[in-house]
Amino acid sequence: MTHSRVLILAAAIAAPILFVAGQALHPALGRDADTAFALMLEHRDQLIVSRLLTTAGAFLLLPALWLVSTLGGRVTRVGGVIAGVGTFFNAVSQVVQGYAAWAATSPGLDHAATMQILLRVDEGVVGLPVGYWSVPVFGLGLVILGVGLLVSRSVPWWMPALLLIGVVAAFFTAGLGPIVAVTQAPLAVALIALATRAGSALAAKPRSGHAVV
């Protein structure tokens, strides 16, 4: 395996670990804006670490999705592209929202005013790249990718099945705090297993167009 492929595989393995770690560190803020902002003030350092870990994991999922997409056919590749768009803009959203929250919760500010600014970061067309839409798009892409792998039968059935279970569990438990480390574990295990298998398959291919005897 070439050095570039080793780096891609290393990034693909690190990606879900960083992503899940970031999600597990994210404080459970709830849906009420006033309560959520109070918790942001209380857990300011934890929140920025969570956002940055999630950002790193989301960006590194791009090579992971590329690797996994090589295992199946057209449906798998379409799912990989959709998931790639979702994870890219999710990463952008995580870092922007993270630093916005870090600034808005700085000591000595009028937090009643900064909370209102924070609530408007993703408003309008300008705020679209950092909107929540990227999360369901990412999930949809993973579902299509998993279905494509099941249909193609290019990998053991449990890998895409675990991926699909992980997507559902992650979607319904996002933002609930440390329990996410458990609920998103199937997603991480599936992605690591699939990326490792794809990396092994690429390493086994000859470097030239000639068959290996």
Side-chain angles (χ1 to χ4, degrees):
M1 185 181 291
T2 63
H3 292 303
S4 61
R5 288 179 178 177
V6 170
L7 289 175
I8 290 172
L9 181 57
I13 292 173
I17 296 173
L18 292 172
F19 186 86
V20 173
Q23 290 291 286
L25 275 174
H26 195 283
L29 302 177
R31 295 183 179 274
D32 179 72
D34 291 328
T35 303
F37 195 77
L39 289 170
M40 287 181 181
L41 290 169
E42 182 181 350
H43 302 287
R44 183 171 181 258
D45 293 337
Q46 180 182 341
L47 184 61
I48 189 62
V49 172
S50 163
R51 291 287 195 179
L52 293 179
L53 284 173
T54 303
T55 298
F59 272 131
L60 290 177
L61 279 171
L62 288 168
L65 290 168
W66 174 79
L67 268 180
V68 175
S69 295
T70 64
L71 292 171
R74 184 178 299 174
V75 175
T76 304
R77 291 191 291 273
V78 168
V81 169
I82 294 173
V85 171
T87 194
F88 175 82
F89 283 102
N90 184 32
V92 173
S93 174
Q94 291 288 338
V95 71
V96 170
Q97 296 277 0
Y99 279 115
W102 177 257
T105 54
S106 298
L109 298 180
D110 179 358
H111 290 139
T114 58
M115 182 181 77
Q116 294 305 313
I117 295 173
L118 184 60
L119 290 173
R120 288 165 173 76
V121 169
D122 59 353
E123 279 191 348
V125 177
V126 174
L128 191 61
V130 296
Y132 178 75
W133 65 269
S134 61
V135 175
V137 168
F138 174 51
L140 175 63
L142 288 180
V143 168
I144 295 173
L145 187 150
V147 170
L149 290 173
L150 279 174
V151 172
S152 68
R153 298 182 180 180
S154 55
V155 297
W157 68 269
W158 65 266
M159 291 184 182
L162 191 63
L163 177 67
L164 294 173
I165 292 170
V167 171
V168 174
F171 185 80
F172 284 104
T173 60
L176 295 184
I179 189 65
V180 168
V182 176
T183 60
Q184 291 191 5
L187 178 62
V189 171
L191 287 172
I192 290 171
L194 287 165
T196 302
R197 187 176 183 88
S200 299
L202 286 177
K205 289 181 180 179
R207 294 184 182 180
S208 68
H210 301 289
V212 176
V213 179

